[in-house]
Amino acid sequence: MHSPTSFKQEFIKKWAMALKFCCGSSSTKKMMSFSERKKIIKLSSDIAMASARNGKTCWSRALISKASKEYENFSILTVNPSMAGSSLWCNKRVVRSKKILKSCRVRRIKKNVPPRRVRASSIAKTMVKKRTQVLKELVPGGESMDEISLLEETLDYIVSLQAQVDVMRGLVDAFNLSS
């Protein structure tokens, strides 16, 4: 894991640089629609969050790889351009927990019903497999990870996302106080 304070400081530096790069001239700012601004803010914050980790994690390399494939100009913002293509990107897909539970229900078969504890064990294993697959789809680069590294990467990704949210909330609060 990384120190949240130093990560936040690094994230702010990288994010400011990314936003400055994207929205350099004032004429560009005026011509952008709301959705374009939203896309640039999200992309620049993802790039800043990933490059603040210096490519030490699979999820950061996957985010940088995706951004460099979609937007050639963002390869300039990465700390180490060689890390951009080293990991595959998995598409984020949100699967609702109701859908998971619905697909995990076991249909009762009247003939050859296994003992109750065997059924419970197989149901639990099936649910764990499905939830692991959903987690692999949510964490960037998760498709190519085993279960242990997936959990480590997920924890690191969550901490990084929390730091990103804290920084953005701080900026909003600072803006509201100055207004």
Side-chain angles (χ1 to χ4, degrees), residues 67-144:
S68 66
K69 286 176 187 172
E70 290 183 8
Y71 307 96
E72 298 87 27
N73 295 340
F74 275 101
S75 61
I76 295 169
L77 300 174
T78 62
V79 172
N80 183 359
S82 64
M83 71 183 169
S86 60
S87 173
L88 295 176
W89 168 257
C90 64
N91 291 327
K92 290 184 181 180
R93 191 178 72 189
V94 178
V95 179
R96 299 185 189 275
S97 59
K98 289 181 183 179
K99 185 176 180 182
I100 295 171
L101 293 175
K102 186 177 179 181
S103 64
C104 290
R105 289 189 183 139
V106 176
R107 295 183 181 139
R108 296 185 183 176
I109 302 170
K110 294 183 180 180
K111 294 181 182 180
N112 300 329
V113 176
R116 184 174 179 93
R117 78 189 137 144
V118 172
R119 285 189 306 183
S121 173
S122 65
I123 292 170
K125 286 179 184 177
T126 303
M127 289 177 72
V128 168
K129 276 186 178 179
K130 289 188 179 198
R131 290 179 179 171
T132 302
Q133 187 59 38
V134 169
L135 190 58
K136 284 183 174 189
E137 292 171 358
L138 290 174
V139 175
E143 292 291 329
S144 60

Side-chain angles (χ1 to χ4, degrees), residues 159-178:
V159 169
S160 299
L161 286 172
Q162 185 62 49
Q164 184 184 41
V165 168
D166 291 345
V167 166
M168 290 180 167
R169 278 191 183 144
L171 288 173
V172 168
D173 292 344
F175 181 76
N176 286 339
L177 287 175
S178 68

Side-chain angles (χ1 to χ4, degrees), residues 13-23 44 47-48 74 77:
K13 287 181 206 172
K14 303 281 184 184
W15 195 32
M17 185 174 75
L19 286 172
K20 191 175 188 180
F21 179 77
C22 292
C23 309
S44 61
I47 291 288
F74 275 101
L77 300 174

